[in-house]
Amino acid sequence: MPEEARKILAGLKPSDGDKAVAEVQRLLDGRCLAAVETGPEGVSKVTAGTRPVELVEQGWRACLVKVVNRAGATGMLRADSPSAQPVPNGPKDKVAERWMMLMPHTAQPLLPNLSGLGLEYTVLQVYSRDAGNRNAVLDFRLEGGQGAGKAFLAREWDFTKGPDGWVAENQSELDAKTGKLIVKSLGEDPFITAPVVTPRGKLSLRFWANFEKGGMAQIFWWTRSRRYPDGGHQKSIQIEPGAGKEYVVDFTAEDELAGIRIDPGSEKGLIQFDWIRLSREDKPAGPHSRAEITFQARPSVPVTFKVAEFDGTPCTAAFLIRDKEGRVYPAQAKRLAPDFFFHPQVYRATGETVRLPAGKYAVLCSRGPESIPEAKELVVADQPVTFSYTVQRWIDPSAQGWWSGDHHIHAAGCLHYENPSEGVEPSDMMRHVLGEDLKVGCCLTWGPCFDYQKRFFTGKPDNVSKYPYLLRYDVEVSGFGSHASGHLNLLKLKEQIYPGGDSKKHWPTLGMNTLRWAKKQGGITGPAHSANGLTRFVGRIGETQDGPHGLPNFNIPAYDGIGANEYIVDATHTVPGPDGKPVPALDFISAMDTDRVAEWNMWYHTLNCGYRIRVSGETDFPCISGDRVGMGRVYVKVPGQLDFDQWVDGIQSGKSYVSDGTTHLMDFTARTLEGKTLEVGEQGSEVRLDKPGHMLFTAQVAAYQPGKKSVPVELVVNGQVLNTVEIPADGSVQKLAISAPIQRSSWVALRVFPAAHSNPFFVLVNDKPIRASKDSAKWCLAGVDQCWKMKEKTYAQSEQEQARADYAHARREYQRILEESDR
């Protein structure tokens, strides 16, 4: 066709208007998917093309749509189909018929709207999940412009003359060039806003954008009655780098809408918006028309994976597959488990396959943060092909007995769908654990789909576990029970459900009562997503100067969330253990998935008061992050063969460190001048000195952070940095040795902010307890009062008396510690 078109068009003169139109139609009409006619009120007629539309399984094709624009319409032509509805979150009986995707190509040099000319052609991109002959009904309507389509449009932004009301509010810059809105992201929390007023109801924000960096973007909105964006008025979307596409975010404004905010990801980079529009989805459908179209999709090509560890052992790894346009394969909107639709990568083992159309693909291969990501080219022709990947590692902590784990992942809720199934199965979660080289995955059943997911609890690792990879089900108290005072991770349970029922409605509302039950059966416990509720402040303790990175700091949090809130009370308590003897109510505080300063600051203050709570690493997948499991990790020293109970006991004893996987603090050891040596987690991590003196702290430390020459390893004593040593950021293991004077009873730890933190040693001088800071005790006292102010109303009337007693106990403890502190 291109040569034929060139010859015909070359022979036309400017005066050949009608002839040119006729020749264009002769060339293009036979290749059109459909012909659409507009009338005064909108789309009046749709006629199917003259021949079946050729597609390819698992691939995209750009199709022409002829528009006979008798009415001179200037709105956007929208196409939809029952067959193009998403599969995730859709009914089970509709999965087979939802085989296609539609995406109008409305980016420059094309225009998003019709021009108003009597004849024009638009481009509609069509994706087929399946091979074979299929029919689909396509429905066309106009949105915006004049006529009935105008009612659908709440606001359309035009960037030909400027930003049109959009403002760079935080860590961003914006400008309008060549009809596009250009946004420059300058930090980790960029966002832009625009005022917009439209009545309450169901709305849809659409935009065509090109993102330089991928990840998760967020859309916030606010209303006349709620004038600030918040977590209750927010939607997250997966953004794809390197190629423009249309994004759609549906939401409901419960009151008159007042404004929109776009957070375009958490990485620095450029974002280009060709257009942005807000449409109403609650208006009665205006004039529209539909036609049944016949499609023929030829089969794609099977690609078989051959995946091995560096030593040749077959394994599972992560593969992010993109074509030259930046489109992801398999298409996310058509995925069901074991491939998760909310992140772009898929996980495959040796012998497993994907199907791809012929073409060239860029494949990013990896296997967890200790692997070195590798970008490879995949060329698919017309015959089956094998794709090989061998994992390259910069470190393997498990070879030294340090076993990675994530104590907080989910198989239901948040980004997981509740239809066509109630979350996903253990085998699906295990695939992701294997693909990220996460040795232990703690899959926590919580509010969503609780009654379905509870069947997977056995009190031991699930049968899908493949040594040395273990998956075990336990509980997060979230969406029920005592969740309002702070979610709780309950690990190593023997009984999954609180006595008195068989589900989630009867659980206690006081966190301490939940902990009493969990600890009585030998559970390992700690708050989830710790910083939630600790990043807004209501006051400050004195004039004490904050430490490096704001650690510690003395701002009093609002305690208005679901993180380590009641923790400030629970940390002071002991409760009966399995043998009736008192044990700490809490074993650990969670880290690595929320604001690092806030989560570590809470921990530091309670350590300064002498409480020996450890730190453990989590992701809260796919709630705080749907990128992958194991983004926050805890590495536990387990000698010999990995065993789940020994591993989780290592969290309790502190024989562990937390990390995002880029930095490792292995074999943290303390040595006295007398030569006594103790490794962290042994003998309660307690070292006793008869008098003040120097100690030597050693560790095997490594960091792999491309783009950096070195990273600082800090020795932290009672929350203060006592010494800093720079190590190369090239992945090499460094033998670290730091001498430190210990003048009084102290806790001592290593950290690389914000990537990793060891658990502490507790050094007691002259048998005195750790009383590191009066101001820390004051901060904790103020926290108890603020927490009660915020949480009292969340406790059931039947538990109010116990709640008051538990809070009073915490006040007495912190007051006693304050009086015992001498500085």
Side-chain angles (χ1 to χ4, degrees):
M1 174 186 168
E3 181 63 20
E4 180 186 2
R6 186 187 65 79
K7 290 180 179 178
I8 293 174
L9 296 177
L12 295 174
K13 300 187 293 293
S15 58
D16 295 336
D18 292 342
K19 182 180 178 182
V21 169
E23 288 294 342
V24 168
Q25 290 186 82
R26 186 178 72 80
L27 278 170
L28 300 183
D29 282 8
R31 295 173 171 84
C32 285
L33 176 150
V36 174
E37 297 183 27
T38 69
E41 297 300 318
V43 175
S44 59
K45 183 180 180 181
V46 177
T47 304
T50 58
R51 57 188 179 188
V53 179
E54 294 183 2
L55 303 176
V56 60
E57 177 190 18
Q58 294 289 328
W60 288 89
R61 183 185 173 188
C63 300
L64 288 175
V65 177
K66 180 180 180 180
V67 181
V68 181
N69 198 354
R70 305 185 192 282
T74 58
M76 179 181 283
L77 184 65
R78 307 295 310 184
D80 203 357
S81 171
S83 299
Q85 297 303 302
V87 170
N89 294 307
K92 188 174 183 178
D93 61 357
K94 299 293 184 182
V95 170
E97 67 184 60
R98 295 184 173 189
W99 59 270
M100 74 182 321
M101 289 194 293
L102 301 172
M103 185 168 66
H105 188 88
T106 52
Q108 295 184 19
L110 301 182
L111 298 175
N113 291 357
L114 297 177
S115 67
L117 295 175
L119 172 68
E120 56 188 300
Y121 294 83
T122 66
V123 177
L124 180 65
Q125 298 177 87
V126 183
Y127 172 91
S128 177
R129 180 191 62 198
D130 306 327
N133 297 338
R134 305 295 294 266
N135 283 13
V137 173
L138 268 62
D139 188 286
F140 291 86
R141 66 178 173 87
L142 285 172
E143 182 180 274
Q146 303 302 313
K150 188 174 183 179
F152 287 101
L153 199 60
R155 177 73 159 91
E156 181 177 19
W157 286 270
D158 180 4
F159 304 129
T160 58
K161 297 181 180 180
D164 197 17
W166 285 94
V167 177
E169 291 281 4
N170 193 60
Q171 295 184 344
S172 58
E173 297 174 352
L174 61 75
D175 194 9
K177 296 180 180 178
T178 63
K180 298 183 180 182
L181 184 67
I182 311 298
V183 179
K184 185 176 182 180
S185 170
L186 303 176
E188 296 181 352
D189 188 25
F191 54 84
I192 61 174
T193 65
V196 55
V197 177
T198 192
R200 69 181 183 180
K202 295 181 178 179
L203 300 165
S204 183
L205 184 72
R206 292 188 176 94
F207 52 88
W208 186 287
N210 187 310
F211 291 86
E212 185 178 1
K213 303 290 180 64
M216 297 295 292
Q218 294 178 305
I219 308 299
F220 291 83
W221 63 94
W222 62 96
T223 64
R224 181 178 59 181
S225 59
R226 300 188 67 162
R227 296 191 173 274
Y228 301 97
D230 57 36
H233 296 74
Q234 175 265 333
K235 289 287 186 76
S236 297
I237 56 171
Q238 182 78 38
I239 54 178
E240 300 179 14
K245 64 170 288 186
E246 181 177 327
Y247 294 88
V248 182
V249 180
D250 297 321
F251 65 95
T252 299
E254 77 282 359
D255 193 6
E256 182 181 74
L257 188 71
I260 295 287
R261 174 177 134 184
I262 300 178
D263 295 28
S266 59
E267 293 193 55
K268 296 179 181 179
L270 287 177
I271 305 98
Q272 300 182 35
F273 293 91
D274 282 55
W275 52 265
I276 305 175
R277 56 173 53 200
L278 181 69
S279 56
R280 301 203 61 87
E281 299 300 313
D282 52 3
K283 293 288 185 181
H288 61 103
S289 188
R290 63 183 60 186
E292 186 171 13
I293 313 293
T294 299
F295 297 88
Q296 294 178 343
R298 66 180 184 273
S300 55
V301 179
V303 177
T304 302
F305 288 84
K306 184 179 180 182
V307 192
E309 266 291 351
F310 67 95
D311 61 0
T313 305
C315 65
T316 303
F319 301 96
L320 173 50
I321 306 169
R322 296 185 186 275
D323 65 15
K324 64 180 181 180
E325 303 298 329
R327 293 177 295 214
V328 171
Y329 294 82
Q332 290 174 246
K334 298 303 173 184
R335 291 184 189 177
L336 293 176
D339 295 336
F340 294 168
F341 72 95
F342 47 78
H343 57 211
Q345 76 274 15
V346 294
Y347 296 91
R348 291 294 184 269
T350 293
E352 296 181 332
T353 64
V354 296
R355 299 190 68 91
L356 296 173
K360 290 184 178 181
Y361 299 87
V363 184
L364 183 62
C365 314
S366 63
R367 192 170 192 244
E370 289 110 32
S371 69
I372 300 175
E374 181 179 358
K376 304 187 70 173
E377 183 181 68
L378 168 62
V379 179
V380 179
D382 58 355
Q383 295 297 317
V385 62
T386 297
F387 181 81
S388 297
Y389 168 57
T390 299
V391 179
Q392 300 299 315
R393 295 195 166 276
W394 64 273
I395 196 170
D396 182 8
S398 67
Q400 307 300 319
W402 291 94
W403 302 91
S404 62
D406 185 340
H407 72 241
H408 188 170
I409 61 177
H410 293 299
C414 291
L415 294 179
H416 283 304
Y417 45 67
E418 296 189 18
N419 274 307
S421 61
E422 293 188 61
V424 300
E425 302 291 302
S427 60
D428 303 322
M429 295 301 297
M430 192 65 205
R431 174 181 294 269
H432 289 244
V433 167
L434 290 166
E436 291 297 331
D437 189 33
L438 184 69
K439 298 302 193 293
V440 180
C442 298
C443 199
L444 306 184
T445 300
W446 64 301
C449 309
F450 183 93
D451 289 332
Y452 179 83
Q453 291 286 325
K454 71 182 182 183
R455 70 190 63 193
F456 302 122
F457 175 83
T458 61
K460 62 181 181 180
D462 194 273
N463 289 335
V464 300
S465 300
K466 299 177 181 179
Y467 188 84
Y469 299 92
L470 307 178
L471 181 76
R472 177 181 152 135
Y473 280 73
D474 272 302
V475 171
E476 180 193 6
V477 180
S478 171
F480 62 92
S482 58
H483 68 127
S485 62
H487 295 184
L488 290 169
N489 298 316
L490 308 180
L491 310 178
K492 199 184 174 185
L493 295 177
K494 293 182 175 63
E495 298 294 333
Q496 177 184 206
I497 297 176
Y498 193 84
D502 61 1
S503 186
K504 60 185 179 181
K505 294 182 179 180
H506 63 286
W507 288 55
T509 60
L510 175 64
M512 273 302 304
N513 284 340
T514 304
L515 293 169
R516 289 181 173 99
W517 165 72
K519 297 304 293 183
K520 184 64 177 176
Q521 59 174 298
I524 308 297
T525 61
H529 35 72
S530 298
N532 192 298
L534 305 180
T535 57
R536 190 173 69 86
F537 307 118
V538 296
R540 184 173 170 85
I541 298 298
E543 301 297 325
T544 305
Q545 184 176 356
D546 297 341
H549 315 298
L551 287 168
N553 70 69
F554 295 87
N555 299 316
I556 302 169
Y559 291 84
D560 57 355
I562 51 175
N565 289 203
E566 195 188 295
Y567 167 96
I568 197 68
V569 173
D570 303 343
T572 68
H573 283 265
T574 59
V575 295
D579 59 2
K581 296 179 180 179
V583 297
L586 289 176
D587 298 295
F588 63 88
I589 187 170
S590 297
M592 309 310 295
D593 62 341
T594 54
D595 182 89
R596 204 72 76 248
V597 172
E599 59 189 28
W600 289 2
N601 190 57
M602 173 63 79
W603 183 41
Y604 281 15
H605 283 301
T606 50
L607 289 174
N608 279 352
C609 289
Y611 293 107
R612 298 188 180 186
I613 293 170
R614 272 58 174 197
V615 66
S616 185
E618 66 171 27
T619 301
D620 192 6
F621 173 91
C623 296
I624 288 181
S625 174
D627 285 359
R628 61 186 59 86
V629 299
M631 292 187 69
R633 297 181 175 219
V634 56
Y635 292 80
V636 181
K637 186 69 173 287
V638 179
Q641 191 174 44
L642 175 63
D643 171 80
F644 179 85
D645 285 354
Q646 289 187 53
W647 181 86
V648 78
D649 287 347
I651 293 177
Q652 183 184 53
S653 68
K655 191 179 292 188
S656 57
Y657 62 91
V658 296
S659 172
D660 59 12
T662 67
T663 306
H664 295 275
L665 305 172
M666 300 176 291
D667 302 330
F668 185 34
T669 302
R671 180 179 298 172
T672 67
L673 288 178
E674 293 76 23
K676 181 182 178 182
T677 300
L678 188 69
E679 190 170 329
V680 71
E682 295 178 346
Q683 300 176 28
S685 301
E686 183 178 282
V687 179
R688 291 180 176 268
L689 301 179
D690 294 333
K691 59 182 179 180
H694 277 73
M695 291 185 65
L696 181 67
F697 297 93
T698 61
Q700 302 286 328
V701 182
Y704 183 71
Q705 299 186 22
K708 293 183 179 181
K709 291 184 178 180
S710 65
V711 296
V713 182
E714 299 170 315
L715 184 73
V716 180
V717 179
N718 294 335
Q720 303 299 320
V721 177
L722 198 64
N723 206 336
T724 301
V725 176
E726 292 281 335
I727 66 165
D730 60 3
S732 60
V733 177
Q734 304 292 312
K735 294 182 178 180
L736 187 74
I738 305 177
S739 178
I742 304 298
Q743 302 299 329
R744 58 193 177 113
S745 295
S746 305
W747 62 270
V748 184
L750 293 176
R751 79 178 180 207
V752 176
F753 183 87
H757 209 299
S758 77
N759 268 296
F761 284 105
F762 305 102
V763 183
L764 303 186
V765 179
N766 294 326
D767 292 326
K768 293 183 178 179
I770 296 173
R771 299 290 183 261
S773 166
K774 282 181 174 289
D775 286 327
S776 283
K778 293 177 182 177
W779 186 89
C780 292
L781 263 174
V784 174
D785 290 339
Q786 177 63 24
C787 190
W788 178 255
K789 178 181 177 181
M790 300 302 294
K791 306 302 181 184
E792 177 188 9
K793 60 182 178 294
T794 72
Y795 301 131
Q797 186 61 41
S798 60
E799 296 177 82
Q800 282 285 322
E801 182 178 353
Q802 183 66 62
R804 292 178 185 277
D806 289 341
Y807 275 74
H809 168 87
R811 292 188 187 95
R812 289 193 302 271
E813 286 297 295
Y814 288 126
Q815 183 63 45
R816 176 179 61 81
I817 292 166
L818 174 61
E819 294 169 358
E820 293 173 357
S821 302
D822 58 5
R823 63 177 71 187

